[in-house]
Amino acid sequence: PAHYILAGTPARNGTETALPNLEGARRLLATALRTNGFLPAESARSPNLIVVYHWGLASPTFEDKGAASELFFNRREILALLFGRSLEFLGERDHAMVWSAMREERFFVLVSAYRADDWLTQKKHTLLWRTHMSVPKARLSFQNATSILLAAGGPLLGRDSCGLQSIHIDVKGV
């Protein structure tokens, strides 16, 4: 198993008043990581990974939304935040889902793993893997969204998905 040190920070999103419970998010993330063979560094002499997680609200910014002359100001940032490098592997049917998802407000969680020895000794951030998870904002709070994302997306942490993975879950009342 790989051993990790966990670090988390909210993304800058202008809505810091409703951030999820940090300890609850840490517990959910630790459970998801353990499922995939990643253990906290307290159980080993030194960590293999530094796991960093970010969460926030991705809000697309438009001028004249829906018009033929519509301007999507932060399109590149939204695409990178929600989909990362998975865009390189898009299939034909994925394009409509991406277009729809990037045009709505979405809560997100990003979990990244870095090589611990590079991070701690050389102050170099060598990325080993990253998982992007998001859910539409409609009728959710940050707390609910974070719980849903970490529970549903947890099995994908540290796994090569070779593109987008869409998980559909039915949450009562949402």
Side-chain angles (χ1 to χ4, degrees):
H3 294 86
Y4 66 88
I5 295 174
L6 192 60
T9 59
R12 299 191 194 292
N13 56 38
T15 59
E16 282 79 10
T17 57
L19 290 176
N21 174 299
L22 182 59
E23 197 49 46
R26 283 167 112 34
R27 278 194 311 274
L28 283 169
L29 183 54
T31 299
L33 288 164
R34 187 172 41 254
T35 300
N36 293 319
F38 301 105
L39 302 173
E42 301 92 61
S43 59
R45 267 194 214 131
S46 62
N48 307 95
L49 308 171
I50 304 294
V51 175
V52 180
Y53 64 104
H54 302 280
W55 66 88
L57 177 65
S59 297
T61 305
F62 296 97
E63 182 175 302
D64 298 329
K65 186 174 182 177
S69 61
E70 171 186 275
L71 294 176
F72 191 160
F73 291 109
N74 58 346
R75 179 176 179 243
R76 182 175 297 170
E77 292 82 3
I78 294 289
L79 281 170
L81 183 65
L82 298 180
F83 303 106
R85 294 176 57 201
S86 65
L87 293 173
E88 299 170 18
F89 304 100
L90 281 183
E92 278 299 312
R93 64 183 179 87
D94 295 326
H95 287 279
M97 184 192 66
V98 167
W99 183 248
S100 174
M102 70 183 220
R103 297 176 62 79
E104 63 188 350
E105 284 193 311
R106 298 178 73 84
F107 290 115
F108 67 88
V109 174
L110 271 72
V111 182
S112 306
Y114 298 90
R115 187 182 313 275
D117 55 349
D118 289 354
W119 182 293
L120 298 170
T121 60
Q122 303 172 30
K123 306 297 184 221
K124 181 179 169 187
H125 299 163
T126 306
L127 180 66
L128 298 174
W129 55 262
R130 177 172 290 145
T131 302
H132 297 248
M133 298 170 275
S134 70
V135 66
K137 179 185 174 196
R139 298 184 310 251
L140 287 176
S141 67
F142 259 118
Q143 187 67 44
N144 292 345
T146 304
S147 299
I148 290 167
L149 290 170
L150 289 172
L156 300 175
L157 298 176
R159 309 275 182 199
D160 187 0
S161 63
C162 291
L164 297 176
Q165 298 293 316
S166 181
I167 299 171
H168 297 276
I169 57 174
D170 185 19
V171 179
K172 188 174 182 173
V174 178

